[in-house]
Amino acid sequence: MDGVGLGVTLEDARARRGVEPMVLITLGSVALVIALALPRILARVRDSDFLELAASIQDDSFYYLLPAYHFKTKLFFTFDGLTPSYGFQPMYELLLAGLAVFHDDFESFFRGAMAMGVWLHVLTSVLLVLLVMRGADAKAPWLRNLQLVLAGVAGLFYFTRGTVLLSAMTCKENALTALVFVGLLLVATADARTPAERRRLSLVVGLGLSALLLCRMLPTSLVIAGLVGLGALLRWRRPWELLGAFTVPLVLWFGYATLAFGHPLPTSARVKALASSSLPITWEVVSRDGWDYLKSALDFSMGMPGRLYLPQQDAARMVFDSSRSSLWMALAVSTLVALVVAGLWRSRREQRDLQVSSGVLGLVAALLVGLLFAYVAQGSLIATRRPGELTYYIWYVFDAPVLFAVALGIACVRGLSMLEAARESWREKSLPMRPVARTFALGVVMVAGALAVFIARVPREYGKLSRLQPFTSFDPVSQSWPHTMIRAGLWLKQNVPLQPGERVACYSCGSLGMLLPGHVMNLDGLANDDSARYLLGGSTTTPYVTKMRPRFYIDVHPVDFDEAGIQVKPLHILPFGFKRKPGYLIAELSYPTP
C-alpha cells in the first residue's frame, strides 16, 4: 500500500463510490452504544442534588465557572463580581462564557457546563473512531471491514473509561483539550494532494496547535505542538500559513489579557510559580516520581485505580481494582512498544517522501515516545516544584487517554495489515524469510495485545457506567474538603445575615463564591488579581486583608493573621478531614486600631 498514507485517499473514495457501508455501520453501532449509556449519565447531571453535585468537582473549577457566568453582565472576568480574576485557561473559559449566555441562573449554568463536558467526551470518542479508521488499509474486503469494526471498539474503549468520564464531569478543561487533541490528529493525518489542500490543512493545523496551547500549556502540550507542527511542515511545506494560523489566536488572546489583566499569562500560574519549591531534579526524583507519574497516567488511561485523585464521592463505583490489572497493563505496554517498533521499521524500510504522507502510524509512534519523556519530566517537575500535590494534577492528564486509545486501535488495525502483508509475502516468497517472520511477529503482538485489552476492559468498563446514580441529597457528615466548605458557607448564610458590602475572606473559596455571591474575597490570588499583586510583590496577604477589612473568615486557622494582630473570633468550627487544628473555622475578624 505504498503512497496510500495509511488512510482513505481521494482516489480510494471514488473507487469505493462514496462512504463504505461498514464505515456507517461501525459509526452507527458506536452511536447506539453511547446512546444507551447517555441517559443514565445525563440523569446524574440533571437530577442530582445541586449542592452534592457542586461538591463532586474540584474547588478550583469554580474559578472557571463564576468568572464565565459573571462575564455576560460585568463584561470582564471576575470571580467575586468586583475584582478581575485571571485564574483560568483561556480556551475553556471562552467556551463557558458563551454557554453562560443561554442560562439565567447559576445552577442551570452549572448543570449545563457539566453536561457539556459529557458531550465533549462523546464527540472525542466519535472522532477517535474516525482517526483509527485512517489506518484501515487491508486489501481483503473482509479484513478491512474487521479493521473498521476495531476502530469502533477503540472509540468505545475511550468512551467507557470511568476515570476519563468522571474527569470530564468536573467542569475543567480536560474534555475540551482532549477533543482539540484528537481533532488536531485527525487533521494532521489527512491527505493533501493539491497546493490548495495543503494550504488549507496547514491553516487548520496551525489553528489547532494554538487552540491546544490555549486549552492547557504543559510540557506534554509543547511536545504535541512540536511533533505535530513539525510533521505538518515536512509534509505540506507551508511554513507561513502554519505559523500565521498558529500565531494570530495567541497574539489576540495575549493582547486582550495584557489589556484586561496587565499580563498575558494566567495570574494563578504566576502565583503558583512564586510559591513553588526549588528542589533539585536528581536521578532519584526522575526514577521515582517521574516514572510514578507516568504509571499513574497509564492507570488513569486504562480506567484503573491509581494515585491521581478523583473528587466524586462515589468514584469507587467507577474505579475499582482488578486482580489482573498488572496483566492488562503489561499487554497494553507491550502492544505500544510493538507499535513504536513497527512505526520506526516501516519508516526506515520504505523511506517515503514525507510530503506525500507520514500517516497515522508514524505520528502516533512519535507521540508515544515524545509523551513518555514529557510525562516523566512533568512528574519530576511537580515533585520538585509542588511536592505533595502530585495526586491533585488529574486535569493535566488529557492527552494520555486519547493517545492510549488511539495507539491501541492503530496497533490492532495496522497489526492486521502486517499479518496480511506477511501472509502474501510468504506465499509469493518475494522477501527473505527473516523480514517476513519479523513482520508476522510484530503483527501478532500488536493484534493480540490490543484485542486482549479491548475484550477484557471494554465490557467491564461499560458495566461501570450503570453504577452512576444521581445524588439524592447533600451529605451532612462527609469531611471531604468540598463538603466542609459548602457546610461552612451554609452555616454562615443561615446564622449571620450578611449586609451589602460585607466581605468574607478565605483562601480556597470556589464553592463559597457560589453560596455567598458578592461577599467572598479570595486571598491566595488564584481567583483575585488584587490579592495576587501583594503576593507577586513579595508580601503576604495580611496587608491586603488589613486594607480591605473583611468582617468574616472561612478556612483553616490563618497563622499570618496572628502575626499582624488580626483577631480571629471563632463563630463555629467544623471537623475537617485534613486534621488541621482546631478545624475548619467560620470566624469574625477584628483589626488593631491604626
Side-chain angles (χ1 to χ4, degrees):
M1 299 298 293
D2 190 31
V4 173
L6 306 183
V8 180
T9 62
L10 295 177
E11 287 78 10
D12 290 330
R14 294 191 189 101
R16 298 177 191 278
R17 298 179 181 177
V19 180
E20 299 172 74
M22 186 52 68
V23 171
L24 298 178
I25 292 172
T26 299
L27 291 174
S29 301
V30 170
L32 177 62
V33 173
I34 291 175
L36 291 174
L38 270 180
R40 185 174 292 275
I41 300 172
L42 294 176
R44 179 186 177 96
V45 178
R46 182 187 64 245
D47 300 333
S48 288
D49 176 84
F50 174 56
L51 292 180
E52 188 65 33
L53 206 61
S56 73
I57 66 175
Q58 291 104 338
D59 190 63
D60 286 5
S61 297
F62 289 97
Y63 297 167
Y64 287 74
L65 293 166
L66 286 167
Y69 183 71
H70 289 147
F71 186 83
K72 66 178 181 179
T73 54
K74 304 294 183 179
L75 298 183
F76 70 101
F77 292 104
T78 170
F79 171 77
D80 56 13
L82 301 170
T83 57
S85 172
Y86 190 12
F88 50 78
Q89 299 296 326
M91 193 76 178
Y92 183 60
E93 188 70 4
L94 292 173
L95 184 62
L96 284 176
L99 179 68
V101 174
F102 302 98
H103 295 275
D104 296 327
D105 61 274
F106 183 79
E107 179 178 338
S108 67
F109 167 63
F110 179 96
R111 295 182 190 273
M114 187 172 286
M116 181 178 69
V118 174
W119 285 110
L120 291 174
H121 182 69
V122 169
L123 187 55
T124 302
S125 304
V126 174
L127 292 185
L128 196 147
V129 176
L130 297 175
L131 178 61
V132 176
M133 282 182 175
R134 287 260 169 88
D137 66 347
K139 297 177 182 177
W142 70 270
L143 192 58
R144 177 176 171 79
N145 288 339
L146 179 58
Q147 289 179 320
L148 296 176
V149 170
L150 290 172
V153 177
L156 290 177
F157 179 86
Y158 179 81
F159 174 73
T160 55
R161 299 309 89 194
T163 47
V164 182
L165 176 63
L166 291 180
S167 176
M169 297 174 69
T170 58
C171 299
K172 295 291 283 287
E173 69 274 12
N174 312 49
L176 176 63
T177 315
L179 177 64
V180 171
F181 180 36
V182 73
L184 181 61
L185 294 181
L186 194 61
V187 176
T189 55
D191 260 335
R193 295 189 172 273
T194 66
E197 289 176 347
R198 291 170 188 159
R199 187 179 303 109
R200 183 174 65 253
L201 289 177
S202 295
L203 289 171
V204 177
V205 168
L207 291 173
L209 293 174
S210 64
L212 183 68
L213 294 184
L214 289 174
C215 281
R216 173 59 79 175
M217 190 174 292
L218 294 170
T220 53
S221 305
L222 297 175
V223 168
I224 293 169
L227 290 175
V228 175
L230 179 61
L233 181 62
L234 292 174
R235 292 180 65 196
W236 299 325
R237 310 289 184 179
R238 293 292 184 272
W240 296 115
E241 289 86 345
L242 184 68
L243 184 62
F246 172 72
T247 304
V248 169
L250 296 177
V251 170
L252 289 176
W253 173 259
F254 289 148
Y256 166 79
T258 302
L259 293 175
F261 306 108
H263 44 83
L265 297 177
T267 307
S268 55
R270 299 167 66 215
V271 170
K272 287 183 178 181
L274 180 69
S276 295
S277 304
S278 55
L279 301 174
I281 300 179
T282 62
W283 174 248
E284 182 182 1
V285 171
V286 173
S287 61
R288 183 187 66 239
D289 299 295
W291 285 101
D292 279 352
Y293 186 66
L294 174 63
K295 183 181 181 302
S296 297
L298 290 176
D299 288 335
F300 179 81
S301 303
M302 283 280 285
M304 299 191 304
R307 295 179 61 188
L308 295 175
Y309 167 74
L310 285 166
Q312 291 87 349
Q313 287 284 91
D314 58 349
R317 293 181 177 179
M318 299 288 283
V319 186
F320 53 84
D321 205 354
S322 168
S323 59
R324 298 190 180 120
S325 294
S326 58
L327 173 61
W328 308 136
M329 185 61 71
L331 286 171
V333 170
S334 63
T335 305
L336 301 185
V337 171
L339 178 67
V340 172
V341 172
L344 294 173
W345 187 26
R346 178 176 180 128
S347 63
R348 180 182 177 184
R349 285 186 60 206
E350 298 187 2
Q351 296 181 350
R352 293 179 301 170
D353 184 359
L354 286 172
Q355 190 172 353
V356 177
S357 178
S358 63
V360 183
L361 178 60
L363 181 58
V364 170
L367 285 172
L368 281 173
V369 175
L371 288 183
L372 183 149
F373 289 103
Y375 265 99
V376 172
Q378 195 163 283
S380 302
L381 285 172
I382 295 172
T384 54
R385 300 302 179 262
R386 309 288 293 184
E389 296 186 9
L390 186 66
T391 57
Y392 293 103
Y393 285 80
I394 192 169
W395 52 88
Y396 284 12
V397 185
F398 69 89
D399 39 25
V402 169
L403 189 61
F404 196 82
V406 169
L408 285 177
I410 291 296
C412 207
V413 168
R414 293 299 307 151
L416 290 175
S417 294
M418 293 177 71
L419 292 178
E420 183 185 47
R423 180 171 175 269
E424 291 180 355
S425 298
W426 209 305
R427 282 181 172 179
E428 298 171 2
K429 297 182 179 180
S430 59
L431 294 174
M433 294 303 293
R434 185 175 296 176
V436 174
R438 289 175 180 172
T439 302
F440 182 80
L442 274 175
V444 167
V445 171
M446 291 162 67
V447 174
L451 273 180
V453 175
F454 284 155
I455 294 170
R457 304 303 301 182
V458 172
R460 183 188 186 95
E461 297 292 319
Y462 184 82
K464 293 179 183 180
L465 298 182
S466 65
R467 295 177 174 85
L468 274 180
Q469 300 287 339
F471 299 113
T472 56
S473 61
F474 181 70
D475 190 339
V477 296
S478 172
Q479 293 185 23
S480 74
W481 199 330
H483 285 85
T484 303
M485 290 179 63
I486 290 176
R487 285 207 305 276
L490 290 174
W491 189 94
L492 184 65
K493 189 174 183 178
Q494 294 164 1
N495 292 275
V496 182
L498 290 171
Q499 303 302 316
E502 288 184 335
R503 306 298 298 275
V504 181
C506 50
Y507 286 91
S508 294
C509 60
S511 56
L512 294 174
M514 170 194 70
L515 292 169
L516 309 170
H519 294 286
V520 170
M521 188 176 81
N522 173 250
L523 297 182
D524 62 11
L526 300 185
N528 181 350
D529 283 15
D530 286 356
S531 175
R533 289 190 185 93
Y534 284 83
L535 297 172
L536 294 172
S539 176
T540 65
T541 57
T542 49
Y544 179 64
V545 173
T546 303
K547 175 186 174 182
M548 302 301 296
R549 303 178 75 86
R551 182 183 172 189
F552 299 103
Y553 173 82
I554 297 179
D555 216 313
V556 296
H557 185 78
V559 178
D560 291 348
F561 286 15
D562 298 337
E563 299 172 355
I566 301 173
Q567 299 293 319
V568 181
K569 177 186 175 182
L571 301 176
H572 190 62
I573 300 176
L574 293 171
F576 191 36
F578 283 75
K579 309 299 182 184
R580 293 289 294 271
K581 295 182 178 180
Y584 208 74
L585 295 177
I586 303 102
E588 188 171 10
L589 303 179
S590 59
Y591 302 88
T593 303

